[in-house]
Amino acid sequence: MANKICVWPSSEINSVYGLIGRQAAYLVCERTRPDKTVIGCMPALFAGVDEDIDFAVNYPVITLEGHPAHNASKLLKEYARNHLKTIVVDVRSFLKNKRINVSDSSEQRLGPKGRKAAAALAKHTTKLVDELLRGR
Amino acid sequence: MKKIAVMACNGIGQITSTTSRIAAWEIKRLRPKNVVLISSPELMCDDAKTLKNAKNLPLIGIDGCMKKCATEILTAKGIKARLIINLPALLVEKKLSMAGAVRSKTGPGHKRVAKAIADIAVKEIDKLCGKEGTKNGK
């Protein structure tokens, strides 16, 4: 059973969903489950940085996808073929299902609704982290 | 209107990755009509439009840390940057401090360094665009 989970936001620079995924990842890795998670960096995985390859190969991964192409899970499949398990969270669909509107936010800044969205996504991700740690 | 592509490494783990992203937005703010931001995740995953822009436009890259991921991504995609700004080297050269900065929030440390990066990039953009560059961002 894994002892840590890697949270991997796709983090697109041009998209509010990229920002929400990024902020949710920080919330989980720095506040809700700091001892049980690591944060994965897409450019570092692409560039072959050992630490990020280790994260991808040794820990189950939760990707927080800010783009419909699901760039983070796509890259994981290509660059870390032996990774244990990936749970894909599409940020836009998650917010739509939760009926959270982020019209006050942009790719650069979150308004109150955007912050609420990041917090809700962080809560959901924390739940997934706990489930993965329990071996589900 | 001449367009210039700008790509920050856009990493997530380091304080300086956050700064690279803020710098890219600052460059776009200063030269909105000239700058096309390249999203590194989309370039890594070969998004057609992103790849086309990155390959066809003069490109300025920003490396946030010593791992030089922006450079690595560009090299892997066969793209030769017009200019690469290396943030750690700039911190040393300009004796800039990022004390108090955190990766999850924009603060004065990020803004100071982002401005220094933007100054260099805008100078290059204006050189590449001629008079156009200096007119449209003001």
Side-chain angles (χ1 to χ4, degrees):
Chain A
M1 199 182 300
N3 60 353
K4 283 201 180 191
I5 308 299
C6 179
V7 182
W8 213 298
S10 62
S11 183
E12 288 83 7
I13 198 168
N14 289 326
S15 153
V16 67
Y17 303 108
L19 173 57
I20 290 167
R22 193 162 58 240
Q23 290 308 117
Y26 287 137
L27 285 170
V28 175
C29 297
E30 293 176 356
R31 291 196 199 168
T32 65
R33 294 294 180 270
D35 301 329
K36 295 289 175 193
T37 53
V38 291
I39 197 162
C41 178
M42 276 186 70
L45 178 65
F46 185 94
V49 174
D50 288 342
E51 184 182 44
D52 291 82
I53 294 172
D54 286 348
F55 290 167
V57 171
N58 296 325
Y59 302 136
V61 174
I62 300 168
T63 65
L64 304 178
E65 305 283 359
H67 188 280
H70 291 183
N71 292 316
S73 44
K74 210 166 157 182
L75 202 75
L76 275 165
K77 266 182 211 153
E78 208 176 323
Y79 286 83
R81 288 184 188 168
N82 298 328
H83 69 272
L84 296 173
K85 182 177 185 176
T86 306
I87 293 182
V88 178
V89 179
D90 183 287
V91 176
R92 187 199 292 250
S93 305
F94 169 80
L95 297 178
K96 197 176 167 192
N97 289 340
K98 294 275 175 192
R99 297 185 181 175
I100 300 174
N101 158 324
V102 291
S103 56
D104 65 345
S105 302
S106 71
E107 72 277 15
Q108 294 184 37
R109 196 161 289 118
L110 297 181
K113 290 176 184 172
R115 286 197 291 276
K116 184 181 160 195
L121 182 60
K123 191 176 170 190
H124 176 66
T125 307
T126 303
K127 202 174 138 201
L128 293 174
V129 167
D130 293 343
E131 285 174 7
L132 284 169
L133 287 170
R134 283 200 300 267
R136 284 191 192 169
Chain B
M1 181 70 64
K2 188 157 185 181
K3 301 284 185 190
I4 311 294
V6 173
M7 189 186 87
C9 66
N10 193 30
I12 192 145
Q14 314 275 339
I15 292 166
T16 51
S17 327
T18 304
T19 314
S20 79
R21 202 165 21 249
I22 296 167
W25 287 326
E26 177 65 6
I27 298 164
K28 174 82 176 161
R29 188 185 71 77
L30 292 167
R31 294 293 179 268
K33 291 179 187 167
N34 296 104
V35 170
V36 175
L37 286 185
I38 301 291
S39 177
S40 67
E42 285 162 72
L43 184 61
M44 284 182 257
C45 293
D46 294 328
D47 171 74
K49 192 179 166 194
T50 307
L51 201 56
K52 188 179 165 200
N53 280 334
K55 288 202 166 186
N56 295 337
L57 301 175
L59 190 144
I60 298 173
I62 306 166
D63 274 323
C65 71
M66 292 311 285
K67 292 165 191 164
K68 298 184 180 173
C69 298
T71 301
E72 292 282 343
I73 295 164
L74 294 171
T75 305
K77 299 295 172 189
I79 298 161
K80 190 167 167 30
R82 188 63 67 119
L83 171 70
I84 293 277
I85 301 169
N86 183 291
L87 199 156
L90 188 74
L91 290 179
V92 174
E93 188 195 319
K94 304 259 182 198
K95 295 183 178 148
L96 293 167
S97 161
M98 295 201 63
V102 294
R103 61 187 184 178
S104 56
K105 227 179 249 173
T106 304
H110 292 297
K111 285 184 181 166
R112 247 190 330 265
V113 180
K115 189 186 173 305
I117 293 170
D119 287 346
I120 296 169
V122 163
K123 209 176 270 181
E124 184 69 14
I125 291 167
D126 289 350
K127 203 163 80 186
L128 290 166
C129 296
K131 284 181 184 173
E132 278 178 1
T134 52
K135 278 180 191 169
N136 72 72
K138 305 282 164 83

